[in-house]
Amino acid sequence: MAKLLVTGAGGLIGYALKSLKLSEAVYLTRKDADLTDFAQTKEIFNKIKPDKVIHLAAQVGGIGGNMMHSGEYFRNNIMININVLEAARLCNVKKFISFMSTCVFPDACRYPLNEKDIHNGPPHPSNFGYAYAKRMLEVQSVAYRKEWGCDYIVAIPTNVYGPNDNFSLEDGHVVPSLIHKCYLAMKNKIDLILWGTGSPLREMVYSKDIAELALWALENYSEEAPIILSTGIETSIMDIAQIIIRKMGFKGKVVYDATKPEGQLRKPSDTIKLRKYLPEFKFTPIEKGIEETVKWFVSNYPNVRK
Ligand code: GFB
């Protein structure tokens, strides 16, 4: 039975993969090894000797975290990826999937975002360090395929959300941050503060769907070019907030803080490649995904990542 190694298993997609109860899977978290250190990375790969790898380990964050830690996000993600892809190659991993995200695309880009356009211009300033580091994942995967024939593929999910996310008010992505903020607003009877105007659009995709698509890609996708994993459905931040408010039962006042960053106005992605491979795949509707995430948060609070 092929042994699957999941790096970054302590996060959002790792949690979703664990819920699929895979046999022969080893879940690595930052407690097991510091993947910015090559010696530790090589040692843990040599110990586990995986046949396949789902590489989720990364330093990630929402717009707040990205703007505050551009250098750290660049350095740590470059080091993690250089180390993990090289350690995998040295122990002959047969299939390897890693993840970029739609924030890697150029800020000035034709819509919908297409895998071919990734390097055609600088990313949005709010994601500068992270986006360039993540772009190198694709470069490294292609370079390894060219020189050593490594079947290393790259997926590009859009904005992923779900249980066991990072619910930090400063560094978290919009869905977990707003769930946490809404929870505190209800508890402390204060206003719910949204960043910006609420008008930016995002394609939200549920973590369980990405976990299933990662397993599908591991078995069925071997193109050199990345593949976008998205519903292709844009939802405004305002509508996302309204769904969270409904599911949380918040009755207080919503205030928009225009001094806070908004990031890219929209990032509509081209889902044609995924539809060609999987015309029948059904994504979890955002109402259901947010409902499950809210339930998870409320029943696990305060022991959530925040
Ligand atoms: O998920 P998010 O933080 O990052 O979404 P991006 C940010 C959008 O939600 C902006 C609005 O338009 C914010 O103005 N927003 C409103 C909030 N209230 C809040 C809040 O309380 N917290 C946060 N975080 N946002 C991410 C990249 O960009 O996209 C990641 O930073 C990753 O690296 C992800 O690539 C896919 O969607 O702007």
Side-chain angles (χ1 to χ4, degrees):
M1 183 77 167
K3 183 184 279 190
L4 169 66
L5 170 65
V6 179
T7 72
L12 174 61
I13 303 171
Y15 180 88
L17 278 165
K18 281 182 198 159
S19 67
L20 298 176
K21 307 233 182 304
L22 307 169
S23 56
E24 277 295 296
V26 175
Y27 296 99
L28 219 51
T29 70
R30 62 183 70 202
K31 288 195 293 295
D32 303 307
D34 172 1
L35 298 178
T36 64
D37 176 302
F38 184 60
Q40 288 189 45
T41 309
K42 202 156 153 269
E43 187 188 348
I44 197 114
F45 266 77
N46 286 341
K47 197 167 117 211
I48 299 167
K49 294 198 180 354
D51 306 291
K52 299 180 179 182
V53 175
I54 297 181
H55 175 38
L56 301 169
Q59 181 161 12
V60 303
I63 190 165
N66 267 281
M67 292 178 74
M68 276 188 290
H69 306 296
S70 208
E72 199 182 304
Y73 279 30
F74 180 79
R75 183 195 67 213
N76 288 350
N77 286 305
I78 285 278
M79 288 164 71
I80 288 169
N81 295 333
I82 289 286
N83 292 342
V84 169
L85 271 78
E86 179 62 0
R89 181 184 73 84
L90 294 176
C91 64
N92 296 316
V93 163
K94 292 292 163 284
K95 189 64 175 276
F96 187 108
I97 182 170
S98 58
F99 295 82
M100 297 196 279
S101 97
T102 43
C103 79
V104 308
F105 282 93
D107 185 28
C109 201
R110 61 184 169 160
Y111 288 153
L113 301 172
N114 183 288
E115 295 91 347
K116 299 184 192 69
D117 292 333
I118 289 175
H119 301 288
N120 294 344
H124 188 272
S126 63
N127 297 300
F128 183 79
Y130 178 79
Y132 273 117
K134 278 288 188 174
R135 287 188 187 183
M136 290 307 111
L137 250 186
E138 188 237 359
V139 171
Q140 190 177 357
S141 300
V142 171
Y144 275 36
R145 183 182 290 272
K146 286 183 187 310
E147 177 162 359
W148 295 299
C150 298
D151 190 1
Y152 289 10
I153 59 175
V154 183
I156 311 180
T158 50
N159 287 56
V160 188
Y161 71 97
N164 204 46
D165 201 344
N166 170 8
F167 289 84
S168 160
L169 301 181
E170 295 74 37
D171 293 350
H173 287 108
V174 58
V175 167
S177 294
L178 288 188
I179 289 173
H180 190 181
K181 268 187 188 173
C182 198
Y183 181 87
L184 295 174
M186 292 170 75
K187 190 161 154 254
N188 306 322
K189 298 193 179 6
I190 54 173
D191 295 347
L192 173 60
I193 313 282
L194 294 189
W195 294 357
T197 61
S199 48
L201 299 165
R202 293 292 184 266
E203 289 180 0
M204 303 312 297
V205 62
Y206 196 39
S207 52
K208 192 163 67 62
D209 300 338
I210 296 299
E212 286 170 10
L213 289 170
L215 293 169
W216 164 81
L218 216 47
E219 300 308 321
N220 302 284
Y221 187 78
S222 277
E223 290 186 35
E224 180 176 285
I227 181 167
I228 286 175
L229 306 179
S230 174
T231 60
I233 301 165
E234 291 184 286
T235 310
S236 74
I237 297 301
M238 193 181 292
D239 289 346
I240 291 170
Q242 286 309 321
I243 297 170
I244 292 169
I245 287 166
R246 263 201 317 279
K247 300 298 177 190
M248 292 286 289
F250 177 67
K251 302 278 182 256
K253 196 161 157 245
V254 179
V255 175
Y256 286 92
D257 178 352
T259 66
K260 290 286 187 184
E262 290 216 300
Q264 290 160 277
L265 189 56
R266 56 191 293 241
K267 336 185 224 185
S269 61
D270 186 338
T271 60
I272 202 156
K273 187 185 267 194
L274 179 63
R275 289 285 158 229
K276 188 185 78 181
Y277 277 101
L278 289 176
E280 303 307 316
F281 186 81
K282 296 264 175 297
F283 281 95
T284 305
I286 188 168
E287 291 264 349
K288 185 167 181 301
I290 287 183
E291 184 170 335
E292 289 182 9
T293 308
V294 163
K295 279 193 186 128
W296 183 89
F297 177 84
V298 173
S299 50
N300 286 275
Y301 192 84
N303 309 317
V304 298
R305 288 189 297 149
K306 55 184 184 299

